[in-house]
Amino acid sequence: MTALDQLEFARLSHDEVVDHLLRRTYACIGRSKPMHPGFVEWTIQAFRNYLTAWQAHRESTDTPAVIPVRPEWVVHRKLEERDSRGVLIYEWTSWGRRYRSADGSVREAWLIQLNEPKDRSAAEKTEIAHVAAHGTPLGAAERTPAETVQPQLVKVVAFGTGSAKAKPLGEWHVSATPELFREHVVKRAMAVMDDTKRRPGSNCAECKITVTCESLKKFDFLPAVAARPRGRRTLSVTDLRMYDACPARYHLDRQLGLGVRDMAESPEIVRGRAVDAWLNQKHDGESVRCDADDMLALSFPELQPDQSEQVTRMLAEHTAFCPMSETADLPPRVQPQLSAYDERLGVVFVATPDLLFRRDGAWVWRETKTAGRPIWRGRPLLRQFPQLAMGTLLLAAGVVGDLSRASRVELEHLRADGGQLEEVDPNQPEVLAEAREVIGDLTRPLLFDDRFEAKPGTGCGGCPVLGWCSPGRAHLARAAEAEVSGELG
């Protein structure tokens, strides 16, 4: 958005905008806030894709020439007296790029999305169209008549940063949007404003009441880790392991959400997803154990024959460990998101166990993993599976209530040729200390990192942010060159 502002309003050329972005990397010194080199690469690519999509859209439609609009369009409604919410003024706006024809009769709203341009719900499109049709530019008193005149037609276009494509989402005559707005938007918006439920989770780090929220558990997770004053953040085991493998990927993919999602997954991941999906569906609300009869109806037509056979055999192994029964405490919770806040570190720790259930009044946190070979006994279990360490800490934090002496963290390790069930007791001081050590070793370097430099290696080939990671691409090029040299030699 900033790059497009420079092009459309500051009248900088394409090359000047790109040069300005390149001067904002960590390697440069200036007044602008520095950006990760990979983020700069991504922004330049998205900027160029937008210009290409814009030009192609103009050439393929009969829309009149339009000019960019800087001020937001705002639908402003003032009540005669405060309503039941204590509100006197309602304002509606939308985020994106704004354009209008020279005479103001046509307005266009462009929505910027990650990756490919996607459709939006009827409520979203209606809200955006209504704001474009009836919104007044902020500071309208200083605008020309063409800028403030109500248009006759509005269009909504989606743009995806990962491609040079624009997707028209519809056009509306201004007379049609008020009724559609009341039908699709108002009731949903009122429900959002009236909902006061608190659901602790990954968004707690951004919430203004995190410190005082009674629904979010507070816990001193890592007493041995030094604190660093800075904004709050959310961390999961996936975050920590990804950072440990490559800080650049963690920053670009997990923090900024720039990873490409249509990359082919490895056979191991495909197999694990199939097992998870079947178990989640089976355990959701079920009170009866998985048994041999369930195995008779198994079918995975979307998998390759060998993968389907492996998944079937793993699920057969699961029947020996299935925790559900007619006498189990119900209902089980399938993949609930649980969180607790370490105020000293400014970290909301989150986790999603595969299954959370009660056994004889005690909580059991179950992690299910698929693998090709047995658990290696040469390394501590919590080191191999940090999810167990995080589960131990979150149970100790009281995220599901007071910790019972019978509470457990379990690992169900499934293989095509067998399986095993491991237990971890979060009540044991030495187990809690080990869990803190495991999560602390993964967390400590991340908290003090401002640069998130790439760590090229074997994971570069399937990395979802490789497109804007020059160290990763250079590593793969060197590896390919070395392979060719070896073949020639």
Side-chain angles (χ1 to χ4, degrees):
M1 291 288 278
T2 301
L4 291 171
D5 283 347
Q6 291 175 332
L7 181 79
E8 294 180 345
F9 304 120
R11 304 300 183 187
L12 298 185
S13 68
H14 166 278
D15 291 343
E16 288 173 326
V17 173
V18 170
D19 182 64
H20 174 77
L21 287 167
L22 291 172
R23 293 200 307 268
R24 293 188 62 180
T25 64
Y26 290 149
C28 303
I29 300 175
R31 291 181 296 175
S32 298
K33 182 180 179 181
M35 293 163 51
H36 191 280
F39 189 25
V40 171
E41 277 200 51
W42 176 89
T43 305
I44 292 172
Q45 178 179 315
F47 172 68
R48 288 171 171 164
N49 283 345
Y50 186 91
L51 300 184
T52 302
W54 167 266
Q55 185 62 35
H57 180 74
R58 300 260 71 84
E59 294 173 354
S60 63
T61 63
D62 58 358
T63 304
V66 294
I67 57 178
V69 175
R70 180 188 288 272
E72 287 187 280
W73 293 320
V74 180
V75 174
H76 182 97
R77 181 189 175 204
K78 185 174 182 179
L79 307 180
E80 293 184 358
E81 58 183 23
R82 296 184 184 276
D83 62 12
S84 59
R85 301 182 190 88
V87 176
L88 184 63
I89 298 173
Y90 286 91
E91 289 184 345
W92 303 84
T93 187
S94 61
W95 185 87
R97 308 301 299 176
R98 294 168 292 277
Y99 303 92
R100 65 169 177 82
S101 60
D103 61 1
S105 63
V106 177
R107 286 182 179 178
E108 276 188 12
W110 279 57
L111 310 179
I112 299 181
Q113 306 166 333
L114 293 176
N115 299 318
E116 295 294 319
K118 299 180 289 291
D119 199 2
R120 296 290 187 98
S121 67
E124 289 176 295
K125 290 186 287 190
T126 297
E127 197 274 345
I128 294 161
H130 184 68
V131 168
H134 298 277
T136 300
L138 285 175
E142 304 172 4
R143 307 296 171 188
T144 65
E147 292 176 299
T148 58
V149 67
Q150 187 179 52
Q152 298 302 306
L153 184 71
V154 296
K155 300 187 177 187
V156 178
V157 181
F159 161 72
T161 57
S163 68
K165 301 175 184 176
K167 179 182 179 66
L169 299 185
E171 57 182 62
W172 295 258
H173 191 277
V174 293
S175 62
T177 64
E179 182 177 349
L180 292 171
F181 186 76
R182 287 189 293 269
E183 176 184 355
H184 293 291
V185 180
V186 173
K187 288 184 179 180
R188 289 185 62 177
M190 297 301 112
V192 170
M193 284 185 274
D194 291 338
D195 192 349
T196 59
K197 298 185 185 71
R198 296 183 179 182
R199 301 180 180 90
S202 58
N203 291 328
C204 290
E206 302 171 5
C207 183
K208 295 181 180 179
I209 64 169
T210 294
V211 175
T212 59
C213 180
E214 296 179 356
S215 298
L216 178 63
K217 292 293 183 181
K218 314 300 191 299
F219 188 64
D220 187 4
F221 274 78
L222 308 173
V225 175
R228 179 186 180 187
R230 61 186 306 168
R232 290 194 296 264
R233 71 176 76 203
T234 298
L235 289 177
S236 67
V237 168
T238 301
D239 293 323
L240 295 172
R241 297 186 76 170
M242 188 176 293
Y243 174 86
D244 186 55
C246 179
R249 178 176 175 180
Y250 161 74
H251 178 64
L252 297 173
D253 190 9
R254 298 292 292 183
Q255 284 194 304
L256 302 182
L258 304 182
V260 177
R261 300 301 170 207
D262 59 357
M263 300 183 69
E265 294 182 319
S266 68
E268 293 78 14
I269 293 178
V270 171
R271 180 188 65 197
R273 289 192 189 281
V275 171
D276 285 344
W278 191 90
L279 290 177
N280 291 343
Q281 183 177 16
K282 176 66 178 177
H283 292 155
D284 192 10
E286 287 282 350
S287 62
V288 181
R289 288 177 60 91
C290 302
D291 55 29
D293 291 339
D294 294 315
M295 302 302 108
L296 298 176
L298 289 181
S299 176
F300 303 95
E302 71 280 6
L303 301 180
Q304 297 295 326
D306 61 329
Q307 289 181 319
S308 178
E309 181 183 0
Q310 288 180 336
V311 168
T312 300
R313 292 168 64 181
M314 287 179 177
L315 290 173
E317 294 293 336
H318 164 76
T319 59
F321 308 121
C322 182
M324 299 295 97
S325 71
E326 295 179 352
T327 59
D329 298 343
L330 296 178
R333 297 169 64 183
V334 176
Q335 293 193 336
Q337 187 177 88
L338 304 172
S339 59
Y341 179 47
D342 188 319
E343 185 174 359
R344 187 180 63 84
L345 297 180
V347 174
V348 177
F349 287 97
V350 300
T352 305
D354 289 308
L355 195 65
L356 188 69
F357 59 95
R358 291 177 69 85
R359 178 192 295 146
D360 298 328
W363 283 104
V364 179
W365 177 302
R366 172 74 66 91
E367 295 286 349
T368 302
K369 299 298 176 186
T370 59
R373 49 188 155 185
I375 297 173
W376 182 44
R377 296 302 178 183
R379 192 183 186 198
L381 193 65
L382 298 192
R383 289 282 177 185
Q384 293 185 65
F385 304 96
Q387 296 91 337
L388 306 180
M390 185 68 81
T392 297
L393 294 177
L394 284 169
L395 283 181
V399 294
V400 292
D402 292 337
L403 187 63
S404 165
R405 293 194 61 81
S407 293
R408 290 291 185 272
V409 176
E410 295 181 344
L411 171 65
E412 181 179 346
H413 197 261
L414 299 177
R415 307 183 308 280
D417 62 349
Q420 58 202 106
L421 186 68
E422 303 287 336
E423 289 189 351
V424 175
D425 183 359
N427 292 282
Q428 298 298 320
E430 61 271 20
V431 172
L432 183 61
E434 183 183 0
R436 281 182 158 140
E437 182 179 346
V438 169
I439 300 301
D441 288 347
L442 291 170
T443 302
R444 188 178 291 103
L446 187 154
L447 293 180
F448 287 84
D449 194 347
D450 289 322
R451 302 179 68 87
F452 301 105
E453 295 180 352
K455 190 190 294 184
T458 56
C460 289
C463 180
V465 297
L466 181 65
W468 26 96
C469 179
S470 56
R473 296 194 301 273
H475 169 77
L476 292 178
R478 290 192 298 269
E481 183 178 348
E483 183 176 354
V484 171
S485 299
E487 293 175 353
L488 294 176

